[in-house]
Each structure stands twice: as C-alpha cells, then as structure tokens.
Amino acid sequence: MDPHSSSGLMPSANFDMAGFPELKNDLYLRTARGESTERAPVWCMRQAGRYLPEFRAIRVENEFFKVCRSPELATEVTVQPLRRYNGLLDAAIIFSDILVIPQAMGMEVQMIPGKGPHFPDPLRQPEDMTRLTDKQDGFSVDKELDYVYKAITNTRHVLAGQVPLLGFVGAPWTLMAYMIEGGGSKTFAFAKTWLFKHTKKTHELLSRIADVAAEFLIGQVRAGAQAVQVFESWAGELGPKDFSEFSLPYLARIAARVKSKYPDVPMTVFAKGAHYALEQLATETLYDVVSLDWTIDPVSARHRIDDALKTKGMSSRTVVLQGNLDPTVLFGDEEAIRSRTDAMCQAFGAKGHIANLGHGMMPSHDPELLRVFLETVHQSSKTLRE
C-alpha cells in the first residue's frame, strides 16, 4: 500500500493473544530497560492523529469514539504513521483515548469538533459519584474495555513485529479533573473545590480511578502491549504539596500494581508541568521512564534524578528520560527543526534517552516536518554514540 494513501484499511486479524510475530526492532524496549543502544529510539505522542490526512479521511465517516471502539479502525489509525514514516519510528502507540476510563465507569463523553471532550453531566458534587458503576453493579474493566484489548491484539499481528506496541491510560488526577470540570478548564475551579472542600471524597474517587487504570493496563499488557505509559496531563495544575497528596500516591499505586503482575514490562510516566516532582517520580515510584515536557532542561533533569537516587541509596536503579522537543518547533523551517532537535539529543546525552516531543502532535502540524525531526534524531543520536 502506498505510504501516503488514505484509502483502504489494514486487514483485521482474528488471532489469539499468543503467538505474536517476532519483534524485529527492540530499540525502544532495550533503551527503556536502561541498556546502552546504538542510537536513541524515537516516537511521538499523538503520532496517530489529526495532523495526518489519512487519519482525517477515516474521521470523515467515523465519529471519534467509534474509531476507538472499532478494533479494525483503531488498528488502521495506529499503523498509519508507521506506514508513512517507514523505518523512522521505533514504537507504535495504540489509538485510543484517556477518557475511555470515565466512559467505562458509566459517564457520557462526547468529542466535540473544534472544542474537544465534553461531559454533558459532570460530577459536580460528591453525591454524583453514585452515578458511577462499580463492582456491586457488575462492573468489569475487562468487559467494558475489551474493545481496546482487541485493538491491541489485532495491531500486534498487523505490525508483524515491525516495532513494539505501547498501551496507555490517563492518570487519576487528570481523569478526575475532566470528570468534574466536564471538559478542559483554565482554572479547574470545580475540581479544586473537591480537593479542598471534599478531600475524603476526592481520595475515594482517585482511588477508584487508580484501581480501574491499573487493571486496564494489566489487561492491555495481557492483550499484547509491550510497554505502557501513564499520562498525568494536568499535573502542572497542582502545586508541589497537592501533587504529593493527590497525584503521586496514585501514580505510584498504578505502577506497583502493574509491576507486581508484569515486572519486566517498561512503564513510563508523563507528569506534564510537574518540574518539582522529578526526584519523587524517580525514587518513590516504579516507573522505568520519566517523560519530560519541553520546559524542563534535560541536563538539569538528569543531574537532579541521579542525585536523588544517590541520596536515597538507589544508585543501582536506572531511570530513563523521554522527550522533550517543544512541539511548536515543528512550525519552524527545516533548518530550525534540525538545529533544535540536534541540541535536544546533545542535552540528553548518549544513553538513557527516548526521543519524543514535550507534548503531542498538533492538528496543524505539517506531516513532512515531523519527518525532519525523526530523521534528525536518527542522525544526531547515532553520532553521539560513535
């Protein structure tokens, strides 16, 4: 199939969860486990999405969550960037959304064109939690989110071992904020009212979400995900003390639960905006990879994490860094992209780096300028290791 074609879906595969094709490119997994590699692996958050014309062609006839709920469509969208950037990406991430968890818990979520996610009936008061389904109602994470598992299994086979497949979830604080605010927010006034006025109920809700997220990640690995990432997208809306109370314990709980079941599966945490928490994420959780946004200096981040590990007597623990090019650099010209990407690779150094953006791809990005970023990572990171 023409790598720039948007017509035709990748074939569906009705396979069992065992017997996946042999992995041909394990660069991402080796790096995430702390091994020295010939170059930095590279992938991009939101690499399957609206900046691709082939994705927009799928969306013309298919509502957003319909794509998420169709294993065949989710597979097609997941592999689109791999097809376009043949040989340049070192990981695929399953096409889904962090808000499938609130949906599974009984909330309605709409994706409004030009606006984003919308909850028609958010949880504005603690008593609204009674609308959420739980195990007493026969709630089953695996039953509600089986369509994601099927998409993962299907995609593993369609990828044919080309690159590893990543799964993901949203973190509890981020999901709670969406569930209470009813969508995005500038002030998070409703969600923060819960934190300071209904603290006990806040922890109850965060705990419920964390349990669902952990079980969901375990199910994703069982279905074929070879590594997973937890997105705490609204971490930066919390100050250090509030992050320590309302985010970090639940991030740690999720990692501990997944690692107890699958200790060798690499886990990444992306706590966007939480500059102050690098040491805690490295020493108080079991994540193998800490993803940085573009406002954090990689040299400083590495020194801080290494110092924290040494201080805690954890020098034998390896924490890999991921990131962190400002996504808006991709609105520049090729020279600027090459220069900034090379500088990024230099800052992270010759080991322990998974190249990525500091956040996700944007709808108005030019796909061919992403190619410049990917090619530059290959060249620059390889040169660093020679």
Side-chain angles (χ1 to χ4, degrees):
M1 184 178 291
D2 180 357
H4 295 82
S5 171
S6 61
S7 62
L9 299 180
M10 294 295 289
S12 175
N14 295 315
F15 293 96
D16 294 329
M17 293 179 186
F20 290 125
E22 182 179 357
L23 183 61
K24 301 168 186 174
N25 176 357
D26 65 350
L27 187 65
Y28 173 94
L29 297 180
R30 285 188 286 128
T31 302
R33 291 168 180 152
E35 299 177 26
S36 296
T37 54
E38 55 273 27
R39 64 171 175 83
V42 59
W43 69 282
C44 294
M45 289 179 274
R46 294 182 184 159
Q47 69 186 25
R50 293 174 291 172
Y51 74 102
L52 290 175
E54 48 267 49
F55 172 78
R56 292 196 297 269
I58 295 290
R59 285 280 282 110
V60 168
E61 297 181 356
N62 298 278
E63 187 270 334
F64 179 84
F65 284 113
K66 179 182 177 182
V67 179
C68 294
R69 290 177 174 274
S70 166
E72 292 77 15
L73 290 173
T75 292
E76 161 62 11
V77 173
T78 300
V79 302
Q80 282 177 345
L82 277 295
R83 191 186 304 141
R84 176 181 279 265
Y85 306 110
N86 186 29
L88 291 176
L89 288 165
D90 296 299
I93 185 165
I94 194 66
F95 184 80
S96 185
D97 193 87
I98 65 171
L99 299 181
V100 299
I101 284 181
Q103 286 179 329
M105 295 176 73
M107 298 191 73
E108 181 184 357
V109 186
Q110 303 168 352
M111 195 62 71
I112 308 297
K115 180 181 178 182
H118 172 65
F119 291 67
D121 199 8
L123 307 177
R124 288 294 165 80
Q125 300 295 331
E127 50 265 32
D128 292 335
M129 288 172 59
T130 59
R131 303 202 311 265
L132 300 177
T133 55
D134 57 30
K135 291 185 178 180
Q136 293 180 342
D137 305 316
F139 173 71
S140 164
V141 174
D142 292 343
K143 180 180 178 181
E144 293 294 332
L145 294 167
D146 181 62
Y147 62 89
V148 178
Y149 302 158
K150 289 177 178 175
I152 288 172
T153 302
N154 190 53
T155 303
R156 273 292 302 274
H157 286 283
V158 170
L159 282 171
Q162 184 179 352
V163 294
L165 179 63
L166 315 183
F168 70 93
V169 295
W173 154 247
T174 293
L175 294 181
M176 173 185 158
Y178 273 115
M179 293 161 73
I180 293 173
E181 295 290 337
S185 174
K186 292 183 178 180
T187 64
F188 293 85
F190 293 113
K192 289 197 171 185
T193 296
W194 274 59
L195 301 189
F196 307 123
K197 188 175 182 180
H198 310 296
T199 305
K200 183 176 180 180
K201 285 296 183 179
T202 290
H203 284 294
E204 179 183 332
L205 180 54
L206 290 169
S207 181
R208 289 177 66 173
I209 297 170
D211 289 344
V212 172
E215 193 168 344
F216 186 29
L217 283 181
I218 289 169
Q220 290 183 49
V221 175
R222 187 174 63 243
Q226 291 154 287
V228 294
Q229 178 159 319
V230 179
F231 287 86
E232 187 70 289
S233 304
W234 298 124
E237 299 300 325
L238 298 173
K241 182 178 185 300
D242 297 324
F243 182 86
S244 295
E245 179 175 357
F246 299 112
S247 176
L248 186 68
Y250 301 100
L251 291 172
R253 182 195 298 191
I254 291 168
R257 282 273 303 277
V258 176
K259 286 291 189 179
S260 71
K261 184 74 173 179
Y262 297 108
D264 297 327
V265 170
M267 297 188 71
T268 298
V269 61
F270 179 43
K272 184 178 180 292
H275 309 166
Y276 47 77
L278 290 177
E279 292 87 350
Q280 290 173 291
L281 292 170
T283 63
E284 298 178 31
T285 76
L286 297 178
Y287 292 97
D288 307 279
V289 182
V290 174
S291 194
L292 307 180
D293 65 57
W294 69 93
T295 65
I296 305 175
D297 172 50
V299 175
S300 172
R302 173 50 65 199
H303 286 321
R304 287 172 55 190
I305 287 175
D306 287 349
D307 287 348
L309 291 170
K310 183 178 180 180
T311 299
K312 294 277 189 175
M314 302 170 66
S315 296
S316 61
R317 170 166 158 76
T318 298
V319 177
V320 173
L321 297 180
Q322 177 176 273
N324 72 334
L325 189 75
D326 184 341
T328 63
V329 170
L330 298 187
F331 292 126
D333 58 23
E334 292 188 14
E335 182 180 354
I337 294 169
R338 291 192 185 97
S339 174
R340 292 300 187 96
T341 302
D342 180 68
M344 176 197 75
C345 291
Q346 295 284 342
F348 278 100
K351 185 180 179 182
H353 177 216
I354 296 171
N356 206 313
L357 303 178
H359 198 226
M361 291 293 293
M362 300 177 181
S364 53
H365 275 145
D366 179 345
E368 288 309 298
L369 293 180
L370 175 58
R371 184 185 302 278
V372 176
F373 167 70
L374 300 175
E375 290 174 345
T376 306
V377 169
H378 280 242
Q379 296 160 3
S380 294
S381 65
K382 185 177 180 180
T383 300
L384 274 172
R385 290 157 173 75
E386 290 177 348

